[in-house]
Amino acid sequence: MQNAVVPSLLPVYKRVDLAFERGEGVWLVATDGRRFLDFGSGIAVNGLGHSHPHLVKTLQDQAAKLWHVSNIYQIPELERLADRLVGASFAETVFACNSGAEAMEACIKVARRFHFANGRPERNRIVTFEGAFHGRTMATISAAGSPRLTEGFAPLLDGFDHVPFGDLDALKAVIGEHTAAIMLEPIQGEGGIRPAPAGYLQEIRALCDEHGLLLIYDEVQCGIGRTGRLFGYESLGAPAPDVMGIAKGLGGGFPVGACLMTGRAASGMTASTHGSTFGGNPLASAVANAVLDVVLAPGFFDQVVVLGDRLAAGLEALAARHPQVIEEVRGRGLIRGLKVKPVNAEFAAKGREHGLLTVPAAENVVRLLPPLTITPEEIDQGLEMLDRTCAGFAP
Ligand SMILES: *Cc1c(COP(=O)(O)O)cnc(C)c1O
């Protein structure tokens, strides 16, 4: 058999022909010198922008001291991170990992193990939602279930029951004696910036309590201040979950994730039931602590709300001015989506011509995820670039 011609880099990404040399706050500088306003933030990762001085200094200081030790030892930086996450959330205990998918894997394992430890091992199925995205591991693609993620990867992991997002009756109908948990993104990200409908999460919380199920939120994309609250569900006025995965914004660009849970939900997670070689190592924990230093400072979230309102008002004005291009404005705070009429990837490409980076999502949505440290003037600049982008699609 002839060898297929394959690039040295596995071509699983359809990459834009653009490479960057450095980042300065909300701006990315390409290798050819062009400057781009970054309304993607590495897909909700660089929440504090690029080269944030506090993150750079923390990383440099920690790098000179200690990068990694095994989790068989005490890790003070990790303990501090866990204490702070517990102090700022519903959670009573935290497991650290390296990515969003791993955080959601931990959530799934926690839920199954909870029922096992409580003498109900048959409760091992998790209800998940159409349009969801939880990562690219076997469990997380099985959880999300869409053919786009799972095709060719069978056999999938059993134990997930998929229902339409927002449909309470379908959810009630699928809950049975094997159900362990309900797992969802309070605001679907890859699915097209779809916040849970008003009251939906309250109803889901009530169903969980009624049937003895754990409620799991995937806050990997909408968490860490993006909505103007530490967690996206808080911005929806929704009740707390029992278990929650976070990642992306937690490290501001350094790979780190975490699974947060109540003490009750954690009851099955005894010594040796789960682990991670790199999870929460001193370098990752130091950087995540530095991110928390910034986002948990008094007034930070209030500022995100003000910035998010400014962006939303500007987007609504744009939608009114360009009804032939923008169909709908979605989202909260600084996680916004434009449902556009042209192909979203083409919209994003035209945006780049005007110096703006955005990220396509499902439902033909263009995601706007600027760093939380953006200034009002930079938001206005982004809106002007979007205005020019829309004008480029005029009939
Ligand atoms: C990005 C994302 C994940 C997966 O995170 P990785 O770090 O890529 O594994 C999971 N859930 C949601 C909601 C995400 O947006």
Side-chain angles (χ1 to χ4, degrees):
M1 204 174 80
Q2 222 179 326
N3 283 338
V5 178
V6 66
S8 56
L9 189 57
L10 190 73
V12 290
Y13 279 95
K14 218 192 296 171
R15 293 172 193 269
V16 169
D17 185 19
L18 195 55
F20 301 103
E21 192 178 81
R22 62 180 193 280
E24 300 165 357
V26 190
W27 298 87
L28 276 171
V29 183
T31 46
D32 62 9
R34 280 181 296 163
R35 291 172 68 84
F36 292 88
L37 187 58
D38 186 6
F39 269 32
S41 301
I43 315 193
V45 168
N46 306 97
L48 305 185
H50 303 278
S51 313
H52 189 286
H54 184 54
L55 300 196
V56 172
K57 173 119 190 17
T58 301
L59 183 90
Q60 286 172 338
D61 289 350
Q62 187 63 42
K65 276 197 293 193
L66 183 65
W67 295 17
H68 177 86
V69 294
S70 167
N71 273 305
I72 66 173
Y73 303 107
Q74 311 286 320
I75 302 179
E77 297 84 0
L78 174 57
E79 278 172 38
R80 175 152 184 263
L81 176 64
D83 285 344
R84 295 172 86 187
L85 289 171
V86 164
S89 77
F90 72 94
E92 291 161 309
T93 186
V94 175
F95 173 78
C97 55
N98 314 285
S99 68
E102 281 176 82
M104 299 320 298
E105 286 268 353
C107 292
I108 292 164
K109 289 181 74 174
V110 165
R112 287 187 172 176
R113 185 85 186 171
F114 167 78
H115 292 290
F116 169 85
N118 285 277
R120 301 288 302 275
E122 77 283 4
R123 289 191 156 199
N124 53 27
R125 303 192 66 85
I126 298 179
V127 184
T128 53
F129 294 80
E130 288 170 12
F133 183 79
H134 301 298
R136 294 290 195 152
T137 60
M138 285 307 307
T140 54
I141 63 172
S142 302
S146 100
R148 190 178 66 81
L149 300 169
T150 61
E151 190 182 35
F153 294 116
L156 300 180
L157 186 69
D158 191 16
F160 298 100
D161 297 306
H162 307 99
V163 298
F165 186 57
D167 184 338
L168 197 62
D169 292 333
L171 174 58
K172 284 180 183 165
V174 85
I175 293 172
E177 58 195 77
H178 293 286
T179 307
I182 299 174
M183 180 166 101
L184 77 169
E185 298 156 81
I187 301 175
Q188 285 193 345
E190 303 299 311
I193 312 296
R194 299 165 76 199
Y200 193 51
L201 296 176
Q202 280 83 353
E203 299 271 15
I204 291 178
R205 177 75 264 179
L207 282 174
C208 286
D209 295 343
E210 181 188 337
H211 295 279
L213 316 178
L214 295 182
L215 176 57
I216 305 172
Y217 287 159
D218 180 343
E219 288 259 355
V220 170
Q221 188 159 155
C222 64
I224 315 297
R226 193 140 278 285
T227 57
R229 302 290 298 271
L230 182 54
F231 302 116
Y233 78 83
E234 298 172 300
S235 78
L236 303 177
D242 302 294
V243 187
M244 185 168 84
I246 57 174
K248 293 200 165 100
L250 178 61
F254 198 92
V256 55
C259 177
L260 281 55
M261 68 206 90
T262 62
R264 177 175 159 268
S267 56
M269 304 306 287
T270 48
S272 307
T273 54
H274 195 45
S276 164
T277 295
F278 295 122
N281 80 12
L283 198 50
S285 294
V287 175
N289 271 312
V291 169
L292 293 186
D293 290 343
V294 177
V295 303
L296 295 180
F300 185 85
F301 295 139
D302 298 336
Q303 188 56 28
V304 174
V305 170
V306 170
L307 293 163
D309 287 348
R310 187 183 189 98
L311 179 60
L315 294 176
E316 291 294 350
L318 274 187
R321 194 150 64 244
H322 301 283
Q324 78 286 6
V325 181
I326 299 174
E327 209 170 298
E328 193 188 336
V329 181
R330 301 173 170 183
R332 293 282 185 287
L334 292 177
I335 176 168
R336 299 281 173 177
L338 293 180
K339 187 170 166 57
V340 293
K341 289 182 178 169
V343 175
N344 57 354
E346 285 171 20
F347 186 97
K350 206 173 277 295
R352 286 192 296 275
E353 289 173 22
H354 295 286
L356 185 68
L357 304 177
T358 60
V359 190
E363 298 198 333
N364 209 43
V365 164
V366 176
R367 271 177 285 182
L368 309 173
L369 307 159
L372 311 180
T373 48
I374 194 169
T375 64
E377 295 69 31
E378 288 164 331
I379 284 184
D380 295 347
Q381 269 179 287
L383 288 165
E384 276 165 37
M385 291 172 180
L386 283 169
D387 194 21
R388 288 200 287 276
T389 303
C390 290
F393 288 100

